[in-house]
Amino acid sequence: MTGGARAGRDGGPGAWRRWAALLLLGLAAWWGVSPTPANAAGPGVADDCHTAQLTEAHTDVDLRLENHARSVAEAWGLMTVRVPTAWLYASDLLLSESSEPHRRAMRCLLRAPDTMSRPEEWREHSPRVSAQASWVEVQYETQFRFNNGGRFNAGPWTMDIHTEQWGLSLSPPPALRGAHWDRVRIDLGGLDASQVTPRPSGADQGHLTWSGLGRTGAAGPRVTVLVIPPWQRAWAATSASSQPWLVANAAGMTTWWVGTSIVVILAALRARRQPAGPELTELEKSSSAALWWWGALKAVLGVMILLFYRAVLNTADLLADKPPAWLDYSMRWPVLIGVLAGWLLVVSARPRRTVLVAATLVAAAAALVAAEPSLFGLPAPLATPTRPADAGFTALVAEVWAVQWLWLAGTALWAWTLARQGGLLRSAATPWRLRRLGPALAVLALLLLGWGEWAIERKWERVSWLANRDIAAYHTQHVASLARDMASFAAQIPTWYYTHTWVLTGLAIVALLRARDLAPTVPYASPTPLDRLLLAVFFAVVVAWRQGSYAGSQALSAFWLVLDIAALYGLLAVGKRRAVLTQHLEGCSGSPQQLCETITEAERNDLITRARRYRELTTSLRAMDQAGAESALKRHEVEKEMNRLHRRRPAPGAGGAPRSWLPLQVNVVDVALSWGPHAKWWDNARRAALLAAAFGVPGSIVMVWMAYSPQGEWMRRGLYMFGAPEMLFMFVYWELVWSGAGLVLGALWRLLPGRRGPARALSLTLAYTLLIGLGLVGNLITDQEIGNVAVGISLMLLVLTLTSLAMDADTFRSERRFWPNRVGLLLSIYQIRGFSAQVAYILMQLVAVLTILKFFSGSDARWK
């Protein structure tokens, strides 16, 4: 090959690398484009707000607490200020929100000088300003969540949050202390007040009102209310700032992940000892080995990321009065652990040497920044309230990118490895090359970094929206805040990726099931006990509803793993008695045979033919019922033929052995529908998974819309560093849930109770719903919201019902050419009466989904 041809071939990856480098440098230097503004006079002058002109201002304040049916209590505040037009800054309130005169006027009305930065205060919109003849009115709405202990400011209120009680104090801005405070109203939302100062003008069932508080000019709070939170809200409010609670939550989550890994490892070991066929195939060996290694790796990563850091700090606090200084760097430890875990994720996938060298270099550079931050002009904790050096900020940005790249590469490599070793890929593809994998992941990491930076910048705008941009300290505080958030971003990346690795666990299980299906001469018509264990773990990891925390605690997470697995085994226990193919043939000598043991692949075509003939005879029989007595002879002949179809044909070479017959409550159509559209149970599983994924697309869109449609929810998630990736992944998550449920339905098609597909779908949905119902008991005990579970259950039933109908139609796909559409084929399969019932059943589910959606999307819906 000539040099020119080689250059043309390699030009693509080189261009990718050059663009990636340019984007990274642009992100690292964006903050320094604007020059540092010159020092200007700030609001430190005593009468900068001209408070004497605000003595005729009038103020109303409302505070409403929301306590019931929530994970954490919330406060919604409204402060209405009417200032006279004679005030010097009254006209500035009508200017653009981005203008400094507007911010200066708002600072006077809404802030004390020492409370400009408020990370805990949320606003759905900027204050509304309206003008009248002699007044300018400002409506200032705020939100606050009681999810952390300490002292915080929100609106004109100071929140003092402790485990035993919460203090709500009305602390007017200095410029409005001499104004008319006409009315103050507090709705305690069902909370009990232990102290109220001063005495309210009126009180009615937790609604407290103060009228005419006057303009005394006192510096202290005007109103103070101490409330006693219920234990559920108290735990939820203080668990995020309590080391013991944090360790307990981390231990609970780690137990779930490690417990899953243990079950997966045991299943992989059993797969080695119990092959699907007579001998262990190479594909089974490689797939079970990949599952074993992935389970072990996931357990190690879980301990490192979720538990190790907090356990080290908590142990140091218990063993020593003052922990060593090297332990007291809150950002460095999670970043170092995350870098090591990401490198281990890449290395354990056994990539090519070029990928391994690149990952090692990236990990070494990121670890160097965290281990020796002074080399880059960074403080020991990586971020402090002071502005870092230019090189230090650039190093932080590069570190975030490096951690992103490591976890992206590790996740992609393991997904490739699990799929390749399990036979999910058609060809034995070689591992990815660096020139293919590296640039694409580099650009994706930059995109994720760009979203994170945008969210961090918007968070700063929310926190400092009233800060004075004309003073030199603003730019310093801005960059210092960005540096702290960048360091926090790097520390959170490993946890975010790890909590999504359940997708790889599901992929590994599917790969092993596929490898066992490809084994030659598999004699099993239904999943073996080992396959059922794998399906139960798959159901627990992929399909089952994610139960949230209770009162801020996730200590019971491992409990749900046991329940999820037990739910599927309970359903199989019911199917052992109620499923069609688990019924026994009658008239057999010796031990009776189950129906699933008597049907072979060679007999399947004959079974479909006999089932079609049985449907034709049934139709003729119904027509004879309307013909009168003259059809009695013909009816007798039809019944005799139906009885012959009810008997099983003897196996070839059986001679004059007595013929067995089907149970009375089962006919040949039931047997055909219970067998499914394919000869192998894995093919039924794959077909059902594809159908469920297609039918579930509208449901995925609905679930994402319901999660993000509330304005307050999007307000918070839009400022989250992983907001956009999380929204995209939520759609993928629900698609995996639907397709995973379809795979379980198809795999257990012959073992589930019911004679028709919709009955099997209903049984699996009931198992899915039972787990949610058990979780709701905890929600009711802790008095918190139940989420969109009703919509999720309804959509699950609808998706599985449509999937089951399509599976029944595929069972008789040989007749598809005789009917104009699938509806006509189903009409023939179910007969007119049964099909009418199925149509009504589907319509009823659609009406239920629409009704639930209407309720949950309403403004008065509380159970969200």
Side-chain angles (χ1 to χ4, degrees), residues 547 550 559-560 563-564 567 767-781:
Q547 301 294 341
Y550 298 111
F559 177 68
W560 292 109
L563 287 181
D564 294 341
Y768 177 80
T769 305
L770 176 62
L771 297 170
I772 297 177
L774 293 175
L776 293 184
V777 174
N779 290 76
L780 295 177
I781 293 175

Side-chain angles (χ1 to χ4, degrees), residues 36 249 290 299 721:
T36 304
N249 290 343
M721 299 170 188

Side-chain angles (χ1 to χ4, degrees), residues 74 122 143 145 711-720:
E74 297 186 35
W122 294 85
Q143 299 178 23
R145 305 188 76 189
Q711 186 173 0
E713 190 65 24
W714 173 247
M715 173 187 64
R716 291 184 175 89
R717 299 204 187 196
L719 301 183
Y720 178 41

